[in-house]
Amino acid sequence: MKRSIVLVVAITAVVLSLDRGAAQQSSAVVIKATSAAELRTWDSYVTSRERSGDLKVMRSERDPSLPSRIVERLQQYHQGVPVWGAQVVRDTTNGVPESIFGDISQPLAIGTTPALSSEDAQRIFAAANASVLRRPELTVLRLDTGDARLAYTSVARNDTGIFRIFIDANNGAELLRYSAIETQSAVGSGRGVNGDLKKMSVLLQSGAYFADDQLRPPDLTTYDMRSNFFRFLNILDGFVPLVQSDIATDDDNNWIDVSAVDAHAHIGWTYDYYFKRHSRRGLDNRDRRIVTLINAATPQGAVTPGSNIPAEFVINAFWCDDCGPGGVGSMYFGNGIPSNFFLTATGQNVFQLAGALDVAAHELTHGVTSSSSNLIYMNESGALNEAFSDMMGTSVEFFYQTAGTGRGQADYLIAEDVFRAFRPGSINGIRSMENPALFGDPDHYSRRFTGSEDNGGVHINSGIPNHAFYLAIEGGTNRTSGLAVQGVGAANREQIEKVFYRGFVFLLPSNATFSTARAATIQAARDLYPTNAAVVNAVTQAWTAVGVN
Ligand SMILES: [Ca+2]
Ligand SMILES: [Ca+2]
Ligand SMILES: [Zn+2]
């Protein structure tokens, strides 16, 4: 016993010295251990907290790219109650640590007996929202002030969106809420004006064809809401089950509904990309069911006065991990607006969102993230979550399309095939990884957004890791720092895709900062390409160029 007390004291001192700057205002313990000395210190620290029971292994998995390794994801508990977003990820070979990343708290002192019952909490959530999508769960929430509070959390929808909400478990006061719709922000989709023919994997039953994929392993189905917006909301909220007659259908298999064709095909392609490139089996690596909802409203219906269909369901696509019957999780693609309408803010037409391959892959990647690192959808971890979706969305585009700036060609813009320039001077797309400033987003850490809108700038600050990903592949110079990067080159893009995939899916804790993402991706490059210094150098230079150290 005495020995372990000595150990804890010694390690606390290390914590304070490694966790520069953060020690005073909070009890956060940030871990980025990759060298032998760091690993020795942190492995014994993590192990001692595992023994004391406040860190528990929640998942243990093998990365198919490195089958000798086991990656353990540990969750922090306080007297049996999970601490929100407090995780440690430890990668080992035969029990010997190779890297440890984490963002947890030092042991907490607050009580864990709530004054409110779970039923009380349910009533409080229900009173303030149209529908509650999840049963309230007890958690410990760490506030920005460094304080920790016993809280109930749930996901609820109201007229303005779908939110993750926390209330104080003792007095019911709201502590935090952020959007739980993982989205393209202002996204729209393209009319099948591409006119390209796509094959669809469908089911023939009773003389009709259904958008129910029979070739790929997961249950992968596209449901047509047939412009019944009210029914769509009930399905999204989990009040109404999905039935066979909801599946998108066509009677002669010559499909004319562009949203059905593009949504179904693009999701199948994204599934295939993850399997072929990363040996991943779907969203959760266990072929989790993929439910896609389309045609909640027509473009004309969306702009009809009095229809009151919120923009988030029109010029947007999203992944909602807790939506759908039984909380199965749902993909949604809006249908955009009629081609004689445009967005006054950007001067763009917005076509059916399913028409953009990068949008489909972006949204599905949110499902991958929520099943793995589960990066919390606010502030820096939220911007990393968004950036990873843009990285994989763009990677899927390059996997299937030839490089170029035309429609149906691969580039570093996001959603360019469906958000199209209309008013003179406007441009295609909603974000650029090559030049984030084209859309007002930062390309360097010194320019990061620090306000509270957009969950703390998740679609804005994503420009910084997005540009790092771009530079690591293509090379070039960051416009703000003037620092040059030697990229691996477009022919080797697979290397950077694999490095970021491994870093973001396997190594990052859910509360990761940009700095932890830098360390984890550099480590992933060393893991995957131990004899190819060019990859490690490209990743390192790219993060340095965007000001993340
Ligand atoms: Ca493109
Ligand atoms: Ca694109
Ligand atoms: Zn997104």
Side-chain angles (χ1 to χ4, degrees), residues 91-118:
D91 183 31
T92 58
T93 305
N94 297 324
V96 178
E98 303 277 357
S99 68
I100 305 174
F101 298 99
D103 182 338
I104 56 177
S105 291
Q106 288 178 29
L108 298 161
I110 63 168
T112 52
T113 308
L116 300 175
S117 69
S118 169

Side-chain angles (χ1 to χ4, degrees), residues 242-260:
L242 284 162
V243 292
Q244 171 83 15
S245 60
D246 288 318
I247 300 175
T249 187
D250 189 276
D251 52 15
D252 65 359
N253 212 17
N254 178 17
W255 295 67
I256 49 171
D257 180 339
V258 292
S259 280

Side-chain angles (χ1 to χ4, degrees), residues 115-280:
L116 300 175
S117 69
S118 169
E119 290 71 29
D120 295 334
Q122 174 84 25
R123 272 191 293 277
I124 291 169
F125 284 116
N129 299 281
S131 55
V132 182
L133 304 182
R134 276 187 86 101
R135 280 171 52 102
E137 291 166 345
L138 204 56
T139 190
V140 173
L141 180 67
R142 297 180 288 172
L143 302 176
D144 289 343
T145 58
D147 285 351
R149 296 277 181 81
L150 188 65
Y152 282 107
T153 182
S154 183
V155 177
R157 187 181 67 77
N158 64 22
D159 287 344
T160 61
I162 300 173
F163 300 94
R164 164 70 65 179
I165 307 172
F166 298 80
I167 60 169
D168 191 304
N170 290 310
N171 61 27
E174 187 169 310
L175 298 172
L176 176 68
R177 81 163 53 203
Y178 55 87
S179 173
I181 294 188
E182 298 181 350
T183 170
Q184 283 282 8
S185 137
V187 175
S189 137
R191 200 150 173 56
V193 167
N194 290 356
D196 55 330
L197 280 176
K198 288 194 176 73
K199 290 183 182 167
M200 295 168 71
S201 176
V202 299
L203 168 69
L204 171 61
Q205 202 168 67
S206 314
Y209 296 85
F210 293 90
D212 185 355
D213 192 320
Q214 301 298 299
L215 296 176
R216 295 182 175 88
D219 186 344
L220 195 167
T221 315
T222 302
Y223 294 92
D224 186 344
M225 298 292 98
R226 300 190 170 83
S227 310
N228 186 339
F229 190 71
F230 186 70
R231 178 172 162 74
F232 158 72
L233 284 184
N234 277 321
I235 289 170
L236 197 69
D237 291 350
F239 295 156
V240 170
L242 284 162
V243 292
Q244 171 83 15
S245 60
D246 288 318
I247 300 175
T249 187
D250 189 276
D251 52 15
D252 65 359
N253 212 17
N254 178 17
W255 295 67
I256 49 171
D257 180 339
V258 292
S259 280
V261 171
D262 282 341
H264 202 59
H266 287 162
I267 286 171
W269 294 3
T270 302
Y271 179 91
D272 292 349
Y273 164 82
Y274 271 105
F275 184 72
K276 289 174 180 167
R277 188 67 112 200
H278 305 295
S279 305
R280 184 179 189 85

Side-chain angles (χ1 to χ4, degrees), residues 358 397 401 404-413 416-417:
D358 56 0
E397 212 173 274
Q401 302 178 350
T405 55
R407 208 151 282 153
Q409 294 188 313
D411 53 35
Y412 288 95
L413 291 169
E416 68 287 350
D417 283 355

